[in-house]
Amino acid sequence: MPQVPQTFFDALAVRTWCGLALRALGRAREEIDAINVYPVADGDTGTNLYLTMESAVTAVEAVFTGHGTLTGQKPLLADAAGAMAHGALIGARGNSGTILAQLLRGMAQVLAADGETAHTDGEGLRLALRHAADSARQAVAHPVEGTVLSVASAAADAADATEGDCGTVARAAYDGACAALAATPGQLAVLERAGVVDAGGRGLVAVLAALVETFTREAPVFGGHARVEAVSVSAAPGVDDVVLCEEDPAAPQEGGPAYEVIYLLEAEDAAVTRLRDRLDALGDSLVVVGGDGLWNVHVHVDDAGAAVEAGVEAGRPYRIRITHFGLGDVHTTGAERPPRERAQRAVVAVVPGEGLAGLYGEAGATTVLARPGEPPASGELVAALRRAHAREVVLLPNDADLRHTAAAAAEQARAEGIRVALIPTRSAVQGIAALAVHEPERRFDEDVVSMTSAAGATRYAEVAVAERQSWTMAGICQAGDVLGLVDGDVAVIGADVTATARSVLDRMLAAGGELVTLVLGDEAPESVADVLEAHVRESYLAVDTVVYRGGRQGALLLIGVE
């Protein structure tokens, strides 16, 4: 990532800052995880901040790639800032990541106020930092001092009192944040007892240090101390580990909610206002960020189902993540929890829809939900590999385009001592076939060979709608045409979903088969499954058919033939 010293904030500065912030959070991730004691001592604040920023970086890079391909020019400030905010919003993880996403969104709202402006100056950066701090505080149902909110407000206050270019303003904000971070133990008793500063605030200091480096080419050295006094910490804390302190850091939260619920929500503003009130009555740590029809909802509750149902009533929730803090852990009892024993073997799979996530989950797999057009980043896969909490993990990417991402995630997990086997599944139906023959009691190598063989013996196809005119292996398609893709290539172009799907199925069964798997997306015609099942029953003797509901999965229909 280029490091260009400059006095103004433009699209390139957004790109540089995001890249430097991701690198800074990567370096500080384990330290931040280790001091995470509020609001829940679950040791994942650093990881959540990193994954949130990684999603922002991916979105910004996509904008630069798109502009370079289409126009040969770099994007405007509004384009880059908007992408940064959107990427952080859809990738926000945990309480800390959700607040970081709102901070970035608040900045973007100021930076992108004039969509045609190429850059802004120190005054614009001051306004952006102020709006970021204020909007983040407004997004939290019950703001608490001594947290990242205090650090953000102090950064904005320091910037307000400074005149100069962007580098001068960024340095003032960083210094103000450092001072506020050092004061957090005196504001929040749980931090003082644990002898640490606020983990989310420490992460924000790292992000602001990257902002200073963006404009000055000099990375400020964090002069504070994450730990105020000596504490005992579990080795290599990660997503499933807990910080163990000399004095119980979570005592004030004894009897607190047992679940963390996070989801993206498509809803109108008025519905979200009602949702806030309902979720606030259900639990605590409520943070709702976003706008313009798309929101990220985070809450801690005892009734996870009620929190999701509230989202369904407000709009369309998806990418739903429910984490159980664990019976008898520090959050629910205020007592230290012994490290959970690792399982011998687990399966991690990327799935394209909520329905398949449920299917894979019932089979015992840890799932990563991939929204159409927004594939998971390597950090998200690494987090899932850690979350599986096993000595041996089989990784099913279920998408040919995720091959390199999955390979990078597997290498990082191996470096952390996890034995990972990557099976190059190219479709979720191949993953279903692999999972069907998975036997944890077998030797790892034998299990991997069996799963790989089952996936390789499964031909896959999908039926989708063309978004634009383009050349294909089957000829020229127009926007709105129904496409039948076999093994990734367009084989059929049609006008009717059911007819196209039947044609694709005939092509696949011409080479033989014993089992047809159909996975229906939300937008597929209701009758298509019945028609295809009847067609297989009448035309192909001894071939069975199984049908699953995939939810919002991008393709209208996924087809597998074994």
Side-chain angles (χ1 to χ4, degrees), residues 420-512:
V420 182
L422 172 60
I423 298 179
T425 48
R426 293 171 289 176
S427 170
V429 292
Q430 289 188 321
I432 291 173
L435 199 56
V437 300
H438 169 55
E439 292 186 13
E441 296 77 17
R442 280 192 298 217
R443 290 178 55 249
F444 185 59
D445 292 339
E446 292 177 356
D447 197 29
V448 171
V449 168
S450 178
M451 295 176 72
T452 302
S453 177
T458 302
R459 298 187 299 282
Y460 67 96
E462 68 178 68
V463 177
V465 177
E467 296 180 356
R468 64 183 67 86
Q469 183 188 61
S470 61
W471 291 87
T472 75
M473 297 289 288
I476 301 176
C477 72
Q478 306 295 327
D481 283 347
V482 180
L483 306 180
L485 294 86
V486 178
D487 292 337
D489 292 323
V490 177
V492 180
I493 300 175
D496 178 74
V497 174
T498 302
T500 302
R502 185 166 52 194
S503 178
V504 168
L505 195 51
D506 285 336
R507 285 173 178 254
M508 298 178 75
L509 287 172

Side-chain angles (χ1 to χ4, degrees), residues 210-234:
L211 186 63
V212 174
E213 186 176 0
T214 298
F215 296 111
T216 67
R217 201 193 289 265
E218 297 178 357
V221 178
F222 176 59
H225 299 282
R227 296 182 179 279
V228 181
E229 59 187 45
V231 295
S232 173
V233 181
S234 58

Side-chain angles (χ1 to χ4, degrees), residues 55-334:
S55 183
V57 168
T58 300
V60 172
E61 289 301 319
V63 164
F64 270 82
T65 299
H67 273 75
T69 301
L70 297 176
T71 68
Q73 299 177 349
K74 71 178 183 181
L76 293 172
L77 174 60
D79 299 322
M84 171 186 72
H86 180 72
L89 177 66
I90 64 173
R93 294 302 193 89
N95 187 75
S96 55
T98 307
I99 292 175
L100 175 61
Q102 186 66 3
L103 287 167
L104 296 180
R105 177 179 171 81
M107 290 191 69
Q109 287 175 326
V110 173
L111 297 175
D114 184 348
E116 300 302 317
T117 298
H119 60 79
T120 191
D121 55 13
E123 174 65 17
L125 179 56
R126 279 198 299 274
L127 294 174
L129 290 168
R130 178 80 272 159
H131 187 62
D134 293 345
S135 60
R137 188 171 288 269
Q138 292 166 6
V140 178
H142 302 285
V144 175
E145 297 306 324
T147 65
V148 63
L149 298 177
S150 302
V151 176
S153 294
D157 291 343
D160 284 341
T162 303
E163 294 184 1
D165 60 22
C166 288
T168 303
V169 172
R171 183 72 206 208
Y174 170 78
D175 290 340
C178 287
L181 179 65
T184 56
Q187 296 174 289
L188 201 54
V190 63
L191 301 179
E192 186 174 23
R193 281 194 300 273
V196 298
V197 297
D198 179 66
R202 173 66 183 92
L204 180 57
V205 164
V207 172
L208 291 174
L211 186 63
V212 174
E213 186 176 0
T214 298
F215 296 111
T216 67
R217 201 193 289 265
E218 297 178 357
V221 178
F222 176 59
H225 299 282
R227 296 182 179 279
V228 181
E229 59 187 45
V231 295
S232 173
V233 181
S234 58
V239 192
D240 293 298
D241 297 314
V242 177
V243 177
L244 305 177
C245 304
E246 291 177 350
E247 293 186 63
D248 173 29
Q253 300 152 54
E254 183 172 351
Y259 295 94
E260 177 184 59
V261 178
I262 305 173
Y263 48 81
L264 290 178
L265 178 70
E266 294 177 351
E268 299 299 323
D269 290 5
V272 171
T273 299
R274 293 191 295 271
L275 175 66
R276 288 179 193 269
D277 293 338
R278 183 169 177 185
L279 292 179
D280 193 25
L282 286 175
D284 60 28
S285 297
L286 174 61
V287 185
V288 181
V289 304
D292 302 320
L294 181 62
W295 308 82
N296 191 303
V297 179
H298 170 281
V299 67
H300 294 172
V301 293
D302 279 323
D303 190 344
V308 175
E309 288 173 7
V312 172
E313 292 181 6
R316 182 185 179 88
Y318 58 98
R319 280 198 178 182
I320 301 168
R321 297 184 180 92
I322 300 175
T323 302
H324 186 240
F325 291 121
L327 294 175
D329 69 8
V330 294
H331 186 59
T332 56
T333 69

